């Protein structure tokens, strides 16, 4: 939804309203904000000409893609993140990991996350969600938990064993970072349906039965 968010930054009248962004030459829908996604009859990558009337009938605002704008907005956000930590890994146009180990002794990490979010919003207009956890895979789950629990601050930290187990049991295995559709089918056949069940498996068994990549995922979930 990042593309749609960038458009809304310059059209504040559209906050809280459905917005979609179209591909080159307005070929198909490539991005949608949460309000547009709530309209289940608007599928992603659907040809625009097939759903134009549907969009209009549902008062959905649609934009032609502006990749220069989205790239510049992303760079602004990443520049701000880089000012907070020497360890920044840009994962995609709208996602990054920050290493906070060197800051943990000096700051409350939850408050630190709230401060980061506030400044990103103030300086760019872009609202973000922040997850904080011991590993990257758990951080992605913390992000999903912030959304699932509708956390008012949009910042969620999981660090204790209880918090992590609760988050894992509420995470379908297909929502674990790196677990795709085909792997989900194999895991479901083995009666593994949530992230906690996956985390409790022997990593060596996972490596033999599936892959080293999934083994690393299991270790990160632990």
């Amino acid at each position: 939804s990042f593309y749609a968010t960038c458009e809304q930054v310059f059209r504040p009248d559209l906050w809280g309203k459905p917005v979609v962004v179209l591909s080159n030459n307005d070929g198909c829908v490539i991005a949608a904000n949460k309000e547009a996604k709530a309209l289940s009859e608007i599928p992603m990558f659907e040809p625009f000409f097939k759903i134009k009337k549907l969009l209009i009938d549902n008062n959905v605002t649609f934009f032609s893609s502006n990749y220069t704008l989205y790239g510049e907005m992303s760079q602004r956000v990443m520049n701000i993140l880089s000012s907070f930590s020497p360890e920044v890994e840009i994962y995609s146009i709208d996602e990054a990991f920050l290493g906070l180990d060197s800051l943990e002794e000096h700051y409350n990490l939850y408050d630190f996350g709230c401060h980061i979010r506030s400044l990103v919003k103030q300086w760019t207009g872009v609202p973000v969600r922040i997850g904080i956890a011991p590993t990257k895979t758990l951080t992605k789950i913390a992000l999903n938990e912030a959304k699932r629990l509708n956390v008012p601050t949009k910042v969620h930290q999981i660090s204790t064993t209880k918090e992590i187990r609760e988050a894992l049991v509420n995470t379908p295995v297909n929502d674990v970072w790196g677990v795709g559709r085909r792997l989900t089918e194999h895991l479901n056949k083995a009666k593994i349906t949530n992230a906690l069940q996956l985390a409790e498996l022997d990593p060596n068994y996972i490596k033999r039965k599936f892959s080293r990549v999934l083994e690393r995922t299991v270790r990160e979930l632990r």
Side-chain angles (χ1 to χ4, degrees):
S1 62
F2 179 69
Y3 293 172
T5 297
C6 290
E7 299 290 354
Q8 288 176 282
V9 168
F10 295 94
R11 284 286 305 276
D13 58 303
L14 295 178
W15 289 118
K17 298 178 181 179
V19 174
V20 301
V21 174
L22 307 173
S23 63
N24 290 332
N25 301 317
D26 296 346
C28 62
V29 174
I30 58 169
N33 66 356
K34 65 178 181 180
E35 289 80 12
K37 290 175 181 176
L39 302 171
S40 58
E41 65 268 34
I42 301 179
M44 296 295 288
F45 309 112
E46 186 74 4
F48 176 53
F49 74 90
K50 288 186 177 182
I51 59 171
K52 182 176 181 179
K53 184 177 184 303
L54 181 65
L55 296 178
I56 294 172
D57 290 346
N58 284 277
N59 296 314
V60 178
T61 302
F62 45 90
F63 290 90
S64 299
S65 54
N66 184 345
Y67 299 116
T68 301
L69 170 65
Y70 311 147
E72 290 179 352
M73 292 294 285
S74 174
Q75 189 59 56
R76 291 183 189 182
V77 173
M78 300 308 172
N79 286 343
I80 294 170
L81 298 183
S82 297
S83 70
F84 286 107
S85 170
E87 301 174 59
V88 178
E89 177 186 338
I90 299 174
Y91 181 63
S92 66
I93 193 170
D94 65 346
E95 193 167 9
F97 293 102
L98 276 68
L100 302 180
D101 287 345
S102 61
L103 306 174
E104 194 166 8
E105 292 184 7
H106 308 288
Y107 299 96
N108 177 294
L109 295 187
Y110 174 80
D111 292 342
F112 192 71
C114 291
H115 179 58
I116 292 175
R117 184 180 188 276
S118 176
L119 283 187
V120 170
K121 183 69 165 61
Q122 179 183 344
W123 292 349
T124 69
V126 176
V128 297
R129 277 185 292 129
I130 295 178
I132 304 171
T135 68
K136 291 179 182 177
T137 302
L138 287 175
T139 298
K140 297 276 284 187
I141 287 176
L143 270 179
N144 291 339
E145 282 291 276
K147 185 176 182 179
R148 184 183 70 84
L149 298 171
N150 196 24
V151 177
T153 61
K154 309 301 181 185
V155 178
H156 190 60
Q157 180 176 6
I158 55 174
S159 54
T160 67
T161 300
K162 180 181 178 182
E163 290 169 342
I164 291 171
R165 288 181 65 86
E166 182 178 347
L168 293 183
V169 80
N170 285 299
T171 301
V173 72
N174 61 291
D175 282 346
V176 174
W177 187 28
V179 177
R181 180 179 58 82
R182 293 184 64 181
L183 184 53
T184 296
E185 292 174 357
H186 289 302
L187 291 170
N188 287 345
K189 287 179 181 178
K191 308 299 184 185
I192 302 165
T193 59
N194 65 48
L196 181 60
Q197 293 170 329
L198 180 61
E200 290 179 335
L201 293 175
D202 179 1
N204 292 318
Y205 163 79
I206 289 292
K207 181 169 64 174
R208 291 195 310 270
K209 181 73 173 177
F210 295 99
S211 68
R212 289 181 180 273
V213 174
L214 188 60
E215 178 209 2
R216 286 198 296 270
T217 296
V218 169
R219 294 188 186 279
E220 288 219 355
L221 289 174
R222 291 180 163 210

